[in-house]
Amino acid sequence: MDDTATQARAPQTHALPIGHMRDGDVEALVSLWERAGLIRPWNDPRADIALARRGPHSTILVARDAADAVVGSVMVGHDGHRGWIYYLAVDPALTRQGLGRRLAHTAEDWLQARGVPKLMLLVRPENEQVRAFYAASGYIEEPRIIFTKRLDGK
């Protein structure tokens, strides 16, 4: 099948609505994150969703297709100074159409509306495709050493 036929059937991702996740979206989000390769055995995505929804300093934004299915997401939160984005995902059938960039911009807008001056995110060093996506979106790679400590016993 040629690219023209595929593009003709693909939804126009620039027109897909983006809003806050709903209570019934948890399993759809987990499924999207699995298809996008974001789930790691040491992170419980349902617990991450619950934590993000617990307070006023974070949210999960989702893009929906015409059938109201979740086809994109970004988790965004802040500590008052630094904003962070996590789980930026686009349904694999809809990649390279600008939806990931729209989700990132929506997360940026959410943080700016709260007066957060800096946005940060983590990308694994070997993930060249995602690094290129963020570089093309105006993000700067800053060398840092990250210290972590598990508090959940894992």
Side-chain angles (χ1 to χ4, degrees):
M1 186 175 307
D2 70 356
D3 288 337
T4 307
T6 302
Q7 289 172 357
R9 285 195 309 274
Q12 298 298 314
T13 60
H14 64 274
L16 296 179
I18 297 174
H20 296 278
M21 76 166 286
R22 301 175 193 151
D23 291 341
D25 290 338
V26 173
E27 293 309 313
L29 278 170
V30 172
S31 175
L32 172 66
W33 296 349
E34 286 174 344
R35 291 190 318 275
L38 299 180
I39 304 291
R40 295 295 181 260
W42 52 87
N43 290 337
D44 177 353
R46 290 166 188 83
D48 290 345
I49 291 167
L51 183 60
R53 297 185 78 204
R54 194 171 302 151
H57 302 292
S58 57
T59 193
I60 301 172
L61 303 166
V62 299
R64 297 177 185 282
D65 67 11
D68 205 39
V70 173
V71 295
S73 74
V74 61
M75 182 185 293
V76 58
H78 69 90
D79 61 14
H81 177 70
R82 291 176 189 88
W84 290 87
I85 59 175
Y86 309 90
Y87 292 109
L88 192 141
V90 172
D91 186 290
L94 301 176
T95 59
R96 299 193 171 281
Q97 297 180 37
L99 183 55
R101 190 168 302 207
R102 280 190 58 227
L103 286 159
H105 288 303
T106 304
E108 292 168 11
D109 291 346
W110 189 90
L111 290 166
Q112 284 182 318
R114 285 151 184 80
V116 178
K118 184 176 184 180
L119 172 61
M120 301 177 68
L121 56 99
L122 300 172
V123 177
R124 290 178 186 85
E126 68 277 3
N127 197 337
E128 294 295 332
Q129 183 177 1
V130 171
R131 289 172 68 185
F133 166 80
Y134 284 113
S137 298
Y139 289 75
I140 300 166
E141 190 170 317
E142 293 184 353
R144 298 288 183 264
I145 296 173
I146 298 171
F147 289 90
T148 68
K149 183 177 184 180
R150 297 299 304 217
L151 302 175
D152 59 5
K154 293 182 182 178

